[in-house]
Amino acid sequence: KFPHLSSPLRIGGVTLKNRILSSGHDTVLVQDGRVTDELVAYHEARAAGGVGLIVVQVGGVHETARYTTHVLMATDDECIAGYRRLAQAAHRHGARVFGQLFHPGREILESRDGSAPVAWAPSATPSERFHVMPRAMSPEEIREVVDGYGAAARRLREAGLDGVEVVASHGYLPAQFLNPLVNVRNDRYGGSDENRLRFLHEALCSVRAQAGDGFVVGLRISGDELSHDGLTTARVLETTARLDADGLLDYVSVCAGSSATLSGSLHIAPPMSQPAGYTAPLAAEVRATVNVPVMVAGRINQPQEAEQIVAQGWADACAMTRALICDPEMPDKALQDRTEEIRACIGCNQACIGHFQRGYPISCIQHPETGRERRFAVLPPIVRRKRVLIVGGGPAGLKAAAVAAERGHEVTLHEAARRVGGQVLLAERLPGRAEFGGAITNLEGEARRAGARIVTGSRVDAALLRAAEPDAVIVATGAVPRRPALELADDPVVLDAWDVVRGAETPRGRIVVADWRGDWIGLGVAVLLARQGRRVVLCVTGFGAGEHLQQYVRAAMLGDAVRAKVQIVPNVRLYGADSDTVYLQHTLTEEPVLVEDVSGVVLAQGHDPVTELTDLADALPGRITAIGDCVSPRTVEEAVLEGLTAAAAL
Ligand code: SF4
């Protein structure tokens, strides 16, 4: 069904069994710079699922490359044992394994405890996003780092990896050297294109020299950094053509964006508002400059999209990294003609890159087994087949149904509405969130395929619960919008955010959206209303809108808000309203803040749990487990994890 995607690919001296790869991505499954058993298990799960190539996350080549506290390091021989275990685990399943050689240059997070190294860069040009002013590297320091690339490559070869790639993407150190707006040196590493290429050229030569013949050496580069001061496609094409002509490359891996700016960084893990496979034309341009295979990454979520990209000659292989985070078995399912079973990634970024940015181990909102392979990948066999009744078909209930049925229990799920999905069905109607509903399609499919019976339009009450005589009840009845106690005079128009999404009539004129939570609901409703011609004032309790969103999702949604002319008022709490004024209070000064000439207020004030059935726990002792929003309102990710945990405990 996927003739191009399933065909082998020769890269240097190595053959990939198919054209699907997991590109390098941080996992936070690293401890003290070393590979852990958790990281091995994580990658082994993808290898077992049929992926052709695993590119292991960035490995620092020099002490100054520690860009986070949980970066993998390849700076001494002690790293070899961990890399070896990882390579062996992936090889057992026929996957090839490459490493990434990395230095972030100025793109380094300031450590909270002062332990981060001073950022090294070609010149003292600041990073806009991390507010870091680096210092210019001396020629001796350049030599040290160049040697570091070679030494790290030698270690990874000794560890049994099949190859490495030098990370020159996303505005990291080699890209900083290439970029005339960042590199303003006047020595042999700056001043001309030839000189600006020298650092990367020397790094690749060092890798070739120290790793020896037969070891694959590639380059990862953004085809366009898509930033005001980023590398342009023209500069990238000159670079790849020259490096290939000099025989330094076995492949090029193309992505887009830059770490240095908010707008550029969102292409590192493009959110669902970006079109599928949008970087493929960049890869095609690079491919025209070189004689080696080209890989591409950039929201390629489905095998059909990847097949098209390869079939049309835009690239030779596709990085489907989040698709694999979400469903490690995606390659096997695709290539064995089981595409309808694929749990498609929805590009929410919440638990993959979102976790990395908060310092938590990688996971997936739809598949919490990810990053927890050692705990959940294989659940123990059940002792006795139980009759399990699940109340509520939101993400928590559906996940519980899928896992419980998969384990062999007799599962019936009752959903009061006509469709399963709960609040996700509303979330998908917000601007830029259309794919969110895919999470429900996936979970429902999993539950049904596992044999769970799903009854919609069925409201469970205490009597039904007792009459059904279940062995176990999982209550996942969800939540309703929270209406805080407000001072309301003169009959103001007050709506809940979900009312607006459902299409409730919203007054013309100026609307205040009062957002307490800082997630996508307040921001999304604000953009929705602004696009419907309302003048929207988004009042938030935090320092800015969307504070709880993953950075790239937030950057995309805030960009939409700016374009839609949403006015954002930070640090205010809602106090009350009358027919034309909204009364707020500043969270820093406690002083009153008034928004006048208002025709309505939309509340995005979080949720209250629906506890009707959870209150019955005493009536059915030991048999009721409450999960999800009905315990206390939570994210989809938390709800799905709870569904898994509850079903695993049956
Ligand atoms: Fe995809 Fe969201 Fe899962 Fe990340 S958390 S892999 S973006 S579905």
Side-chain angles (χ1 to χ4, degrees):
K1 198 172 173 195
F2 297 105
H4 296 87
L5 212 51
S6 60
S7 63
L9 176 66
R10 187 90 180 152
I11 299 181
V14 162
T15 302
L16 311 187
K17 64 180 177 182
N18 59 46
R19 311 289 183 109
I20 301 174
L21 67 124
S22 169
S23 58
H25 57 284
D26 273 293
T27 59
V28 195
L29 299 173
V30 167
Q31 196 145 27
D32 301 326
R34 303 288 180 228
V35 170
T36 60
D37 291 345
E38 286 71 22
L39 185 62
V40 173
Y42 168 77
H43 282 302
E44 183 161 14
R46 272 95 205 138
V51 74
L53 171 66
I54 289 171
V55 182
V56 183
Q57 64 194 86
V58 295
V61 299
H62 187 268
E63 201 43 43
T64 51
R66 284 185 191 272
Y67 80 147
T68 66
T69 51
H70 35 263
V71 66
L72 189 59
M73 297 297 282
T75 43
D76 62 62
D77 286 358
E78 281 180 28
C79 75
I80 295 173
Y83 272 108
R84 182 174 289 135
R85 280 189 297 126
L86 199 162
Q88 287 172 345
H91 285 160
R92 273 199 289 278
H93 303 277
R96 294 294 190 170
V97 184
F98 296 169
Q100 284 195 316
L101 306 182
F102 176 71
H103 197 297
R106 64 180 182 162
E107 296 308 311
I108 199 159
L109 290 166
E110 285 176 285
S111 68
R112 298 205 168 78
D113 62 1
S115 65
V118 172
W120 286 11
S123 305
T125 311
S127 162
E128 179 181 300
R129 180 157 157 244
F130 296 125
H131 318 289
V132 165
M133 175 56 88
R135 73 172 174 77
M137 295 163 75
S138 68
E140 293 70 35
E141 288 165 345
I142 291 175
R143 169 65 28 218
E144 236 182 73
V145 175
V146 164
D147 286 347
Y149 280 98
R154 192 258 306 157
R155 292 181 189 112
L156 269 51
R157 179 169 198 163
E158 277 182 42
L161 273 70
D162 302 289
V164 288
E165 63 187 30
V166 169
V167 178
S169 59
H170 300 125
Y172 296 127
L173 185 63
Q176 290 160 33
F177 270 96
L178 290 172
N179 188 338
L181 297 172
V182 179
N183 174 359
V184 293
R185 302 174 74 99
N186 288 314
D187 61 1
R188 52 197 298 274
Y189 292 96
S192 67
D193 284 347
E194 179 76 14
N195 283 353
R196 283 187 287 267
L197 180 64
R198 193 176 311 281
F199 175 82
L200 177 55
H201 204 280
E202 288 183 354
L204 284 162
C205 289
S206 173
V207 168
R208 285 264 179 226
Q210 294 207 48
D213 293 339
F215 193 57
V216 171
V217 178
L219 175 75
R220 180 143 164 102
I221 196 159
S222 297
D224 192 318
E225 290 191 353
L226 300 170
S227 285
H228 74 107
D229 63 352
L231 275 181
T232 59
T233 304
R235 182 76 186 113
V236 170
L237 299 182
E238 285 162 19
T239 302
T240 50
R242 169 68 191 279
L243 295 173
D244 183 50
D246 288 353
L248 289 172
L249 304 178
D250 291 316
Y251 73 93
V252 183
S253 177
V254 177
C255 47
S258 165
S259 164
T261 61
L262 285 173
S263 58
S265 66
L266 68 84
H267 303 283
I268 295 175
M272 66 177 79
S273 49
Q274 292 296 122
Y278 71 108
T279 50
L282 289 173
E285 288 197 70
V286 171
R287 195 162 182 260
T289 69
V290 296
N291 295 300
V292 291
V294 169
M295 305 165 181
V296 64
R299 228 168 105 60
I300 308 168
N301 289 350
Q302 302 277 7
Q304 294 86 344
E305 294 152 9
E307 174 71 13
Q308 277 290 95
I309 288 169
V310 179
Q312 294 189 3
W314 284 340
D316 300 280
C318 290
M320 303 182 71
T321 311
R322 284 176 293 172
L324 287 154
I325 293 171
C326 187
D327 190 345
E329 295 175 75
M330 181 273 294
D332 275 352
K333 289 178 182 174
L335 304 184
Q336 294 167 3
D337 208 8
R338 294 188 285 135
T339 42
E340 70 289 347
E341 292 179 28
I342 292 173
R343 183 186 309 109
C345 164
I346 57 171
C348 69
N349 280 1
Q350 249 165 266
C352 44
I353 185 132
H355 275 204
F356 161 67
Q357 288 167 336
R358 286 184 287 146
Y360 300 139
I362 191 165
S363 194
C364 172
I365 69 160
Q366 301 188 67
H367 188 61
E369 291 89 336
T370 289
R372 300 182 177 94
E373 282 78 9
R374 298 183 74 214
R375 180 173 163 205
F376 286 122
V378 183
L379 293 172
I382 57 174
V383 180
R384 176 173 72 85
R385 187 167 200 245
K386 292 181 182 167
R387 193 180 312 142
V388 181
L389 193 147
I390 298 175
V391 193
L398 286 171
K399 181 67 179 181
V403 176
E406 183 67 44
R407 297 187 69 207
H409 293 298
E410 181 192 332
V411 178
T412 306
L413 182 150
H414 293 265
E415 164 58 48
R418 280 185 293 120
R419 283 173 66 196
V420 293
Q423 292 179 54
V424 175
L425 298 179
L426 295 168
E428 70 177 344
R429 287 154 71 172
L430 289 169
R433 306 293 288 179
E435 276 184 51
F436 212 71
I440 295 303
T441 314
N442 292 334
L443 284 167
E444 183 182 1
E446 281 167 48
R448 287 190 192 277
R449 279 194 299 278
R453 197 164 73 91
I454 296 178
V455 190
T456 53
S458 170
R459 184 171 293 282
V460 175
D461 56 17
L464 190 153
L465 208 56
R466 288 195 189 91
E469 295 188 345
D471 299 308
V473 181
I474 295 176
V475 178
T477 42
V480 290
R482 187 170 73 93
R483 280 262 178 155
L486 299 172
E487 290 193 14
L488 302 174
D490 298 339
D491 213 12
V493 176
V494 181
L495 297 166
D496 291 315
W498 286 151
D499 294 336
V500 175
V501 176
R502 283 193 191 96
E505 187 63 28
T506 315
R508 308 233 138 250
R510 179 185 263 192
I511 302 288
V512 166
V513 176
D515 180 14
W516 162 76
R517 172 100 179 112
D519 59 12
W520 36 269
I521 301 175
L523 197 48
V525 165
V527 173
L528 183 73
L529 286 169
R531 288 183 181 168
Q532 290 171 358
R534 309 296 189 273
R535 285 180 290 128
V536 178
V537 184
L538 174 60
C539 296
V540 300
T541 48
F543 286 101
E547 273 190 340
H548 284 147
L549 292 171
Q550 187 274 331
Q551 276 177 27
Y552 308 152
V553 173
R554 187 182 187 199
M557 289 186 78
L558 280 175
D560 286 345
V562 170
R563 276 186 285 271
K565 299 195 168 41
V566 171
Q567 182 192 344
I568 296 171
V569 180
N571 298 120
V572 287
R573 66 175 72 93
L574 183 63
Y575 187 76
D578 59 29
S579 59
D580 67 356
T581 304
V582 173
Y583 301 91
L584 304 131
Q585 193 176 37
H586 205 284
T587 57
L588 304 178
T589 65
E590 304 286 318
E591 285 163 7
V593 177
L594 267 56
V595 184
E596 294 172 314
D597 186 27
V598 171
S599 41
V601 186
V602 173
L603 301 178
Q605 296 285 306
H607 293 87
D608 283 328
V610 175
T611 55
E612 229 170 278
L613 294 179
T614 54
D615 292 345
L616 289 176
D618 290 345
L620 288 168
R623 275 189 278 169
I624 290 191
T625 307
I627 59 171
D629 278 357
C630 71
V631 182
S632 72
R634 57 204 61 208
T635 61
V636 170
E637 178 192 354
E638 292 161 340
V640 174
L641 174 58
E642 264 188 302
L644 167 63
T645 311
L650 286 170

